[in-house]
Amino acid sequence: MSEYFETVKAYLQDLDLIVEEEDAAEELVVVNDEDRGIYRLIVDCEDPILILEQAIMPVPSRPGDLYRRLLEMNRTLIHGAFALDDETGTILFRDTLRLDTLDRAEIEGSINALGLALAENVNELLEYSKK
C-alpha cells in the first residue's frame, strides 16, 4: 500500500464524503455526497497520480451533437473533464491530481468542480440521456 492511500481517505472523510466501498489492495474508495450530486465517485490512488472518476450517464443511442457539447462544457470546468469510456459506453467525469503534492484543498477543489459541473449542466445532460 502506498503512503498516500490513508492520507487520501482521511481527506475524503474530513470532507464529509460517505465511503460506500473500499478496496485497500487496489488503493481505491467509492464515495457519495448526495448534496453535491456525488454518487459512486471512484477515488483511485495510482501512484504517482490520484484518479477521480464518476459515471454520469450511458452514451445515448443517438448522441447527436453530445460530444461537441461535452467539449464545450469542458472549456468551462475548473478541474477535470467530461470523458467517454468507450469500453463501457459511459459518459463520465474524470480528474487526475498528483499524489506527491496533494493536499486537502486540492482534492476538495476537484470534488467541488464535479458538483458544480453537474449543477450547471444537469438539465442539458438529462435531455441528451433521453435520446
Side-chain angles (χ1 to χ4, degrees):
M1 185 178 328
S2 80
E3 62 191 270
Y4 304 111
F5 183 59
E6 291 301 322
T7 302
V8 168
K9 277 185 12 185
Y11 290 155
L12 296 171
Q13 291 168 340
D14 190 42
L15 293 169
D16 296 324
L17 293 161
I18 298 167
V19 176
E20 190 75 25
E21 294 177 36
E22 177 180 334
D23 185 335
E26 293 294 322
E27 297 184 317
L28 69 85
V29 293
V30 179
V31 297
N32 294 323
D33 183 341
E34 291 182 28
D35 292 339
R36 288 188 255 188
I38 309 297
Y39 179 71
R40 300 197 53 78
L41 173 66
I42 297 169
V43 181
D44 187 4
C45 293
E46 291 291 333
D47 197 3
I49 61 172
L50 179 71
I51 301 167
L52 297 100
E53 209 169 73
Q54 177 174 307
I56 304 298
M57 64 186 212
V59 174
S61 58
R62 296 187 315 256
D65 68 342
L66 171 63
Y67 302 129
R68 178 189 173 102
R69 279 298 300 138
L70 291 172
L71 288 172
E72 292 169 347
M73 289 175 191
N74 280 346
R75 185 171 183 262
T76 67
L77 299 181
I78 298 165
H79 287 280
F82 291 110
L84 170 67
D85 182 339
D86 198 37
E87 190 175 306
T88 64
T90 304
I91 304 295
L92 49 90
F93 173 88
R94 181 180 170 100
D95 198 3
T96 57
L97 305 169
R98 285 183 49 174
L99 278 168
D100 65 344
T101 59
L102 185 70
D103 63 19
R104 182 189 176 279
E106 190 174 16
I107 196 168
E108 181 178 26
S110 184
I111 290 168
N112 287 343
L114 167 57
L116 184 60
L118 292 174
E120 289 180 343
N121 298 294
V122 67
N123 292 332
E124 190 171 359
L125 292 170
L126 283 172
E127 285 304 312
Y128 279 108
S129 72
K130 296 176 185 176
K131 295 180 179 184

